[in-house]
Amino acid sequence: MDSYEYSELLKKLEQKIENIQNIIKPDQIKKRLKEIEKMENSPDFWNDAKKAGEVQKEKNRLERILHRFEEAKNAVNDAKELFELATDENDSETIAMLFEEAEALEEKVTKIEIETMLSGENDEKNAIVSIHPGAGGTESQDWASILYRMYLRWAERHGFKVEVLDYQEGEEAGIKDVSFIVKGENAYGYLKTENGIHRLVRISPFDSNARRHTSFASVMVSPEVDDDIDIVIEDKDIRIDTYRASGAGGQHVNKTDSAIRITHIPTGIVVQCQNDRSQHKNKATAMKMLKSRLYELELKKRKAEEEEIEKSEIGWGHQIRSYVLAPYQQVKDNRSNKAYSNVEAILDGDIDKIIEDVLIAEAKKEEQ
């Protein structure tokens, strides 16, 4: 990096800070935080525990956004002042230090930029994720289990909690099906970028001739719906089946038909849950999953109508990303059109950069 490149980077970051400021409106955040402080000082405020909890959640979110924004803005301003001073005094040591810190500075601004993008009505919700292997038997089932581990490791890195709703092992290896909830702030906002078909190219560990295989798995992500969201599901539109739970859970799990599968006939959506010993609880969770999927479908239909997208493009039926392990190593996302070489780290859950690049690419598309 030279002085011209660094000064151009500073201009770009200043522009980003200005754009973020126009979106988040720090003055309005400060005003709202003062209102919340007033509310908290009212003796009646804490009587309604549910409302108080929602307000506290809002307060924490606003404080975090404001803190990160001010931190990023100050960092850019400080870097600009220091660079101008060092240039005037021909201080090559300080200039070299600024060049070294340039990547970290850009990353700091990008983080708050991403957080600003996650301001949709569902982005802050928990995410319900389902992974289904495509055709190809053991090969695809193994790929589904690799993706599942990738998301578990990603959630762990973020300190998010994961609750498994349904897990069905494959006969030889991998998984036939898995559904789980990722609980954490903006979990859906981040994971909605994973909605789609994921393609793997590798030398198959299950092929004695060591041939190259291509496998597919679909990932479906829905926001966990609140109880107050009104989604009507009529009895005539669903079919409920019970089956014997598989996998871990003790002897009781394998002796009773406690697992529940619900098919929504009009849309063909199928959800299943076996994480509890109680059939009643599994049914309640499966209904919540179905509501979340129907809610997500409705949101996509509305968006498609707004953007006049063909109905065939709605849903998860399109390839979003390729993971190539042989003959070369590369992960490429079709939406950001960016390629990544740190394949091992990505499969170990280091997918933040991919997610951020997709969010930025999607935001730019919406601006056009």
Side-chain angles (χ1 to χ4, degrees):
M1 180 174 276
D2 56 29
S3 291
Y4 173 76
E5 287 172 329
Y6 188 74
S7 60
E8 287 301 302
L9 172 66
L10 287 176
K11 280 181 199 170
K12 185 178 88 171
L13 296 182
E14 279 184 306
Q15 185 59 56
K16 280 191 176 187
I17 290 289
E18 195 180 318
N19 292 342
I20 294 164
Q21 187 164 316
N22 291 336
I23 293 166
I24 69 169
K25 299 179 175 65
D27 290 342
Q28 286 188 20
I29 289 179
K30 287 172 186 173
K31 189 182 171 187
R32 177 60 182 157
L33 287 171
K34 278 183 182 173
E35 286 171 7
I36 291 172
E37 196 180 331
K38 237 182 198 177
M39 288 162 68
E40 287 173 335
N41 291 331
S42 164
D44 299 331
F45 174 73
W46 303 101
N47 293 342
D48 187 342
K50 190 183 177 187
K51 190 182 176 185
E54 285 169 5
V55 172
Q56 287 296 299
K57 197 175 173 186
E58 182 193 358
K59 179 188 173 182
N60 293 338
R61 185 175 63 84
L62 291 175
E63 283 180 337
R64 195 190 64 251
I65 290 172
L66 188 63
H67 172 72
R68 286 192 185 168
F69 169 72
E70 288 177 343
E71 194 179 43
K73 185 182 180 181
N74 291 338
V76 173
N77 289 341
D78 291 348
K80 187 185 177 186
E81 283 175 23
L82 196 55
F83 179 62
E84 286 171 356
L85 195 66
T87 304
D88 289 344
E89 295 179 2
N90 207 16
D91 183 352
S92 57
E93 199 176 310
T94 301
I95 291 171
M97 180 197 73
L98 288 168
F99 289 173
E100 270 179 44
E101 293 172 355
E103 195 177 328
L105 180 65
E106 189 171 11
E107 202 173 294
K108 194 183 281 268
V109 176
T110 302
K111 290 283 180 197
I112 183 67
E113 185 184 24
I114 296 301
E115 189 141 352
T116 308
M117 288 173 191
L118 299 180
S119 55
E121 60 175 312
N122 297 300
D123 286 344
E124 64 178 34
K125 289 188 168 78
N126 297 331
I128 297 178
V129 185
S130 297
I131 304 173
H132 306 281
T138 304
E139 191 65 45
S140 293
Q141 288 173 11
D142 186 54
W143 172 222
S145 72
I146 293 169
L147 283 173
Y148 176 47
R149 181 186 177 276
M150 181 178 86
Y151 294 127
L152 290 183
R153 292 286 291 119
W154 177 82
E156 192 182 306
R157 284 165 183 258
H158 283 262
F160 291 168
K161 289 180 182 173
V162 175
E163 182 186 328
V164 181
L165 302 172
D166 185 63
Y167 185 94
Q168 296 177 49
E169 287 183 11
E171 277 93 0
E172 289 179 51
I175 50 178
K176 283 183 180 176
D177 201 81
V178 67
S179 295
F180 53 99
I181 298 181
V182 180
K183 297 182 174 183
E185 191 156 7
N186 290 331
Y188 175 70
Y190 287 112
L191 288 174
K192 67 184 179 185
T193 62
E194 299 304 294
N195 233 336
I197 301 290
H198 295 245
R199 171 177 170 259
L200 173 72
V201 180
R202 66 170 175 177
I203 303 295
S204 170
F206 307 102
D207 187 332
S208 55
N209 296 316
R211 286 173 296 193
R212 205 157 46 128
H213 283 246
T214 301
S215 310
F216 297 90
S218 73
V219 176
M220 286 179 278
V221 186
S222 312
E224 184 185 21
V225 293
D226 298 325
D227 294 331
D228 55 358
I229 290 178
D230 189 25
I231 296 166
V232 180
I233 300 173
E234 295 187 32
D235 290 344
K236 65 179 177 63
D237 289 340
I238 58 172
R239 187 178 72 244
I240 299 176
D241 300 304
T242 58
Y243 61 98
R244 196 153 293 185
S246 60
Q251 289 179 319
H252 172 88
V253 171
N254 298 314
K255 285 183 179 176
T256 61
D257 290 346
S258 60
I260 292 286
R261 181 183 296 112
I262 302 177
T263 305
H264 187 253
I265 297 159
T267 60
I269 291 172
V270 179
V271 293
Q272 45 204 37
C273 182
Q274 59 164 324
N275 73 323
D276 203 282
R277 293 184 176 197
S278 159
Q279 189 185 100
H280 177 71
K281 283 183 183 174
N282 283 338
K283 184 182 175 184
T285 304
M287 284 300 286
K288 189 165 195 173
M289 291 167 72
L290 178 58
K291 281 185 176 183
S292 294
R293 289 281 300 280
L294 289 171
Y295 180 58
E296 169 77 356
L297 188 67
E298 184 57 35
L299 290 176
K300 284 184 177 173
K301 278 182 183 173
R302 282 184 204 166
K303 190 179 177 187
E305 282 164 13
E306 284 168 18
E307 297 174 5
E308 297 178 353
I309 298 172
E310 287 290 320
K311 278 192 177 177
S312 61
E313 289 186 41
I314 298 168
W316 49 265
H318 61 291
Q319 188 179 303
I320 60 160
R321 194 178 299 149
S322 291
Y323 306 71
V324 180
L325 306 186
Y328 54 90
Q329 292 214 336
Q330 186 186 81
V331 173
K332 186 171 183 185
D333 195 285
N334 294 357
R335 294 150 307 167
S336 66
N337 209 28
K338 291 198 175 183
Y340 311 86
S341 57
N342 57 328
V343 177
E344 203 173 306
I346 286 167
L347 293 176
D348 193 41
D350 186 9
I351 57 173
D352 281 345
K353 185 76 175 79
I354 302 178
I355 289 172
E356 287 169 7
D357 287 340
V358 171
L359 286 169
I360 290 167
E362 296 289 322
K364 280 179 182 170
K365 204 184 287 180
E366 282 177 21
E367 284 170 15
Q368 288 169 2

